[in-house]
Amino acid sequence: MKSSVVTLFTNSDINLLLASETAKNTDIYGNLYSTLQHSNASCINSQNITSLNFDKTAINVINSSRKELINNISNEWYVTQSTSISDTHCQLCNARNKYICYIRNKNNNKVLHIGTSCVHKFPHIEGANDALKRVKQTKANELLIMRKNDFISHIGDPIPIFQDLEVQLSSIPIVLPLSLEHGLSDSFTSLKDIYAHWLKYGIPSIAETTEQFFNVLHSYQNTYKEALSFINQNHSTPLICKRQYGLWLKQHNKEEVYNNISQNNGIFTLQCLQHLYDSNFLKEHQYLLDNFLSIYSLKIYTITDSSIEFIFYNEDKFHNVLIFQMPTESFMYNIGSYIILSQTPPTLIYNLPTFKLTPSLNSFDTIYLPLKRLFRNQGYDIRLRNSNYTDTFYFRLSDESILPAKHNYIFNILKNSVFQSNYTIAKSIHNIIGNIKRSKNWISKEQQEKFAGLSITIKNKPE
């Protein structure tokens, strides 16, 4: 049976060895360099090794240390410049290459140009990996350019097409029915996907890709015509959702609310309005809101996405206006959505826990003045410590003792008094005084003087 021939050194190995200095060391490599220099061998294999007059040292290196030798030779070289593109022959393997690298020897200054297959073969050449990355990127860029050119020559430049469609979609003034919404968005997405798929994979054929693209584009155009017809018929419909508010819902992670509006042919429902607290939307409907709130002597003062401030104006009851506030989200959920739909809110605004009196010295003075007599008739008062409205306390007239109270609790009492009857206010104050009389946390006048200048810890909250 004839034994197979084993290749020990390829043509590339021999050419790189002869262009290098390492193998000239006869102590380590014997007559390997000189023998190859004077022979015409294109390779060394198990069949011709004995006919090439190698000495024993050279034969041992060829048979046992090829890897180490090639690594040492490779270490003499480095890539000198970026990948060059040229249809030429590799100086190591003689193969024709479009992509080549230039390498220089550190010891003898020789320069070679080699193809990418040989760069792969000798990874120990300094900069080889980076060079291969550049070649890979160059190939990818060329392929991308070719596919783009092919697409443009058959279909046209898709970028202006996509830009025109984006302008069309962004200029739609109202939220469309779900079928039209999905029809337009799905078609637009499919057009971009067809183009992206062609650029990435180059399949299916350009002819099939062209047919797919124009079929989807035609479907988009038909759907857009239906959308325009719907817009013309419904853009003035009361409570139709404008596009800007639909986008607000999406931006605030309320996609489900947006879809519910779309399913309702773009018309707001109560459940949808309850989740729309965009300040611009409220300002657009402020005349409706103010008209309803005026029944309760309230008027909107300022609106932001986070809170609304209300002016309470009742000249018969108070000498100054009062400012109340509540979160915009809470207002729309409980009050505003009903008003805009011409429905009566199930809860009066001033009964909501989030409807609060804005703390200020003016608010305290304005509301407490009518209540002061009721407190003082029973021997008590409410005062502010150091003119700071956040530090409130009850004051006992008989011995000037004080009982700290949380200012939020005090201002809640004051807020409630604005909208309560005189009978309810008197009864509420009677209950408050009954509770504070039983408190064991009163601070005597002597204790106050002892701890003058120190903040007082609030130990209890009167019920």
Side-chain angles (χ1 to χ4, degrees):
M1 181 177 179
K2 186 176 180 180
S3 60
S4 60
V5 178
V6 178
T7 300
L8 302 172
F9 272 66
T10 65
N11 189 40
S12 299
D13 295 334
I14 293 172
N15 287 331
L16 188 63
L17 182 149
L18 293 175
S20 307
E21 301 295 313
T22 296
K24 292 180 179 180
N25 188 330
T26 55
D27 291 337
I28 299 176
Y29 304 108
N31 68 344
L32 177 61
Y33 183 89
S34 60
T35 301
L36 289 174
Q37 188 179 33
H38 295 96
S39 73
N40 293 320
S42 59
C43 69
I44 303 174
N45 55 45
S46 55
Q47 192 174 59
N48 69 0
I49 187 172
T50 55
S51 64
L52 291 173
N53 297 320
F54 290 118
D55 60 22
K56 184 176 181 181
T57 301
I59 290 175
N60 289 338
V61 169
I62 293 170
N63 287 326
S64 304
S65 302
R66 175 197 172 279
K67 180 179 177 181
E68 290 77 11
L69 171 59
I70 295 300
N71 287 346
N72 287 343
I73 292 171
S74 298
N75 287 334
E76 290 187 41
W77 298 86
Y78 65 96
V79 178
T80 61
Q81 62 185 51
S82 299
T83 303
S84 176
I85 302 175
S86 177
D87 191 15
T88 187
H89 293 274
C90 172
Q91 288 185 281
L92 295 184
C93 67
N94 203 39
R96 200 164 190 83
N97 278 273
K98 182 177 181 181
Y99 304 95
I100 62 172
C101 296
Y102 289 91
I103 60 174
R104 183 182 295 275
N105 190 282
K106 301 173 185 177
N107 299 323
N108 57 30
N109 218 32
K110 289 181 180 178
V111 176
L112 300 174
H113 57 263
I114 64 175
T116 52
S117 60
C118 283
V119 177
H120 272 290
K121 191 173 181 180
F122 302 106
H124 285 274
I125 294 175
E126 185 179 324
N129 289 333
D130 289 338
L132 289 173
K133 289 178 182 178
R134 289 194 295 273
V135 170
K136 183 178 180 180
Q137 188 60 55
T138 299
K139 288 180 178 180
N141 289 341
E142 287 186 342
L143 184 59
L144 184 63
I145 292 170
M146 290 171 60
R147 288 175 180 169
K148 282 184 177 181
N149 289 340
D150 212 8
F151 192 95
I152 291 171
S153 66
H154 286 79
I155 298 173
D157 190 347
I159 303 305
I161 296 175
F162 296 154
Q163 290 173 341
D164 289 343
L165 298 187
E166 285 179 343
V167 170
Q168 283 185 352
L169 293 175
S170 63
S171 63
I172 292 174
I174 59 177
V175 173
L176 300 172
L178 200 61
S179 60
L180 296 179
E181 286 272 344
H182 285 179
L184 291 174
S185 62
D186 290 351
S187 295
F188 186 37
T189 300
S190 293
L191 289 172
K192 291 187 289 186
D193 287 346
I194 290 170
Y195 181 54
H197 191 270
W198 168 257
L199 293 184
K200 187 174 183 179
Y201 302 106
I203 55 175
S205 68
I206 189 60
E208 293 176 283
T209 299
T210 301
E211 183 179 3
Q212 286 181 4
F213 190 89
F214 282 119
N215 285 342
V216 175
L217 183 59
H218 182 67
S219 174
Y220 171 91
Q221 291 167 340
N222 287 338
T223 306
Y224 185 70
K225 288 179 182 178
E226 293 181 45
L228 289 179
S229 176
F230 178 85
I231 293 167
N232 290 333
Q233 296 173 20
N234 295 276
H235 73 280
S236 298
T237 301
L239 297 175
I240 193 79
C241 180
K242 294 181 180 179
R243 172 67 55 177
Q244 67 188 90
Y245 303 129
L247 293 176
W248 185 94
L249 290 168
K250 287 184 175 182
Q251 291 165 359
H252 288 76
N253 300 316
K254 299 181 184 297
E255 191 80 31
E256 184 177 348
V257 177
Y258 181 94
N259 289 336
N260 288 338
I261 295 172
S262 187
Q263 287 175 345
N264 197 42
N265 289 330
I267 305 295
F268 279 119
T269 63
L270 174 64
Q271 291 72 24
C272 295
L273 274 178
Q274 285 179 317
H275 297 280
L276 177 59
Y277 48 92
D278 176 26
S279 59
N280 291 319
F281 180 79
L282 270 76
K283 290 174 183 176
E284 185 177 318
H285 295 83
Q286 186 171 343
Y287 70 97
L288 286 175
L289 302 173
D290 278 338
N291 186 54
F292 178 88
L293 295 172
S294 65
I295 300 172
Y296 307 99
S297 300
L298 290 168
K299 182 179 181 180
I300 292 175
Y301 182 45
T302 61
I303 303 175
T304 69
D305 282 354
S306 59
S307 67
I308 302 181
E309 287 190 326
F310 307 87
I311 294 176
F312 178 83
Y313 53 97
N314 189 325
E315 295 179 357
D316 296 333
K317 194 170 185 179
F318 302 108
H319 64 280
N320 285 326
V321 299
L322 298 170
I323 304 296
F324 292 87
Q325 62 180 337
M326 74 183 307
T328 309
E329 184 175 4
S330 177
F331 173 77
M332 277 303 294
Y333 190 87
N334 295 286
I335 302 292
S337 55
Y338 291 89
I339 297 172
I340 293 171
L341 287 174
S342 300
Q343 299 179 20
T344 301
T347 306
L348 295 177
I349 187 171
Y350 48 78
N351 287 337
L352 292 172
T354 53
F355 183 67
K356 298 186 181 299
L357 175 66
T358 302
S360 70
L361 292 172
N362 176 70
S363 297
F364 182 87
D365 291 340
T366 299
I367 302 177
Y368 185 58
L369 187 61
L371 306 180
K372 192 177 184 72
R373 179 181 56 80
L374 296 175
F375 273 95
R376 292 181 71 86
N377 283 347
Q378 298 191 55
Y380 294 90
D381 201 355
I382 296 178
R383 297 187 179 181
L384 304 179
R385 182 178 178 83
N386 299 327
S387 299
N388 183 354
Y389 69 83
T390 61
D391 192 356
T392 56
F393 58 89
Y394 299 102
F395 184 82
R396 192 160 56 198
L397 300 177
S398 60
D399 60 1
E400 299 185 16
S401 295
I402 63 173
L403 178 63
K406 291 184 177 180
H407 76 280
N408 286 336
Y409 176 73
I410 295 296
F411 271 86
N412 193 49
I413 294 173
L414 298 179
K415 181 205 81 170
N416 292 337
S417 73
V418 173
F419 305 101
Q420 291 173 340
S421 67
N422 291 337
Y423 172 79
T424 303
I425 293 171
K427 185 177 179 180
S428 177
I429 291 176
H430 177 77
N431 292 335
I432 292 170
I433 291 176
N435 287 329
I436 64 177
K437 278 182 178 179
R438 294 189 293 270
S439 175
K440 297 180 181 181
N441 295 314
W442 286 92
I443 302 173
S444 67
K445 184 176 181 181
E446 292 75 17
Q447 289 175 310
Q448 295 173 47
E449 294 172 351
K450 181 178 180 181
F451 298 106
L454 299 178
S455 61
I456 299 173
T457 302
I458 299 173
K459 296 182 179 179
N460 73 324
K461 171 184 174 182
E463 299 297 332

